[in-house]
Amino acid sequence: MFLPRRLFPFPVSLLIVLFGITVPKLFDATLAVPPFELYDINDYPKLELMDVALHLVYGPFAYFFIYGYARFRIRGPSTIAWIVCCSLLGVGIEWLGTLVGVYTHKNWNLLYSFFVYGCLQGLLLVFSRLWLRSWETTKKHA
């Protein structure tokens, strides 16, 4: 009812969601711990249940990022605009999270987040297109 109609085969959708959950977690596991310790997630430097719940939000965000890209048939220079807009949305959500204490930035700046989001979203676009192409090729040969 509230979810968009399905545009992707289930295995590709699953890969998109897993990418959205796994890659940010890898970044956090690298940047939020010694020797870097650029930020804390939630109230405490140690992993909590709420941290896990927070990371599960990234999966649907990744799916809706790719869904919007496909649904609105974004191509060419509009792709950059789509990535910039979605990165700004991500930074806005992170900024709100900082205000309510979800994130504690130490040696981190939201501008860094903008560039990280942009790079990861570009990477997700490349991978999702490869996954879809691979799925279509596999279906033709099956």
Side-chain angles (χ1 to χ4, degrees):
M1 194 154 124
F2 293 109
L3 294 175
R5 68 180 173 83
R6 200 158 122 191
L7 286 178
F8 314 113
F10 178 75
V12 173
S13 297
L14 185 61
L15 285 171
I16 292 168
V17 170
L18 288 175
F19 181 98
I21 293 170
T22 305
V23 174
K25 186 63 188 153
L26 288 172
F27 266 78
D28 287 342
T30 304
L31 300 175
V33 298
F36 301 109
E37 294 187 77
L38 299 177
Y39 51 85
D40 290 334
I41 301 170
N42 283 342
D43 318 82
Y44 304 102
K46 296 187 183 203
L47 184 68
E48 300 176 301
L49 181 59
M50 191 50 119
D51 298 336
V52 175
L54 178 65
H55 282 287
L56 294 178
V57 171
Y58 289 117
F61 187 88
Y63 179 82
F64 286 114
F65 170 75
I66 297 299
Y67 177 86
Y69 179 81
R71 180 79 171 94
F72 300 125
R73 294 179 173 90
I74 297 170
R75 299 292 179 264
S78 298
T79 300
I80 300 298
W82 179 249
I83 291 172
V84 167
C85 288
C86 290
S87 296
L88 287 171
L89 176 64
V91 168
I93 292 169
E94 185 175 335
W95 176 73
L96 288 173
T98 302
L99 290 179
V100 298
V102 173
Y103 303 102
T104 303
H105 295 136
K106 295 176 181 177
N107 295 312
W108 190 258
N109 184 311
L110 287 176
L111 185 61
Y112 304 156
S113 294
F114 174 78
F115 288 109
V116 169
Y117 293 151
C119 290
L120 292 180
Q121 289 168 358
L123 194 61
L124 176 57
L125 270 176
V126 168
F127 279 126
S128 65
R129 292 177 87 181
L130 289 172
W131 295 329
L132 281 168
R133 189 175 304 133
S134 176
W135 177 262
E136 290 165 3
T137 303
T138 302
K139 287 306 239 179
K140 285 180 186 176
H141 298 319

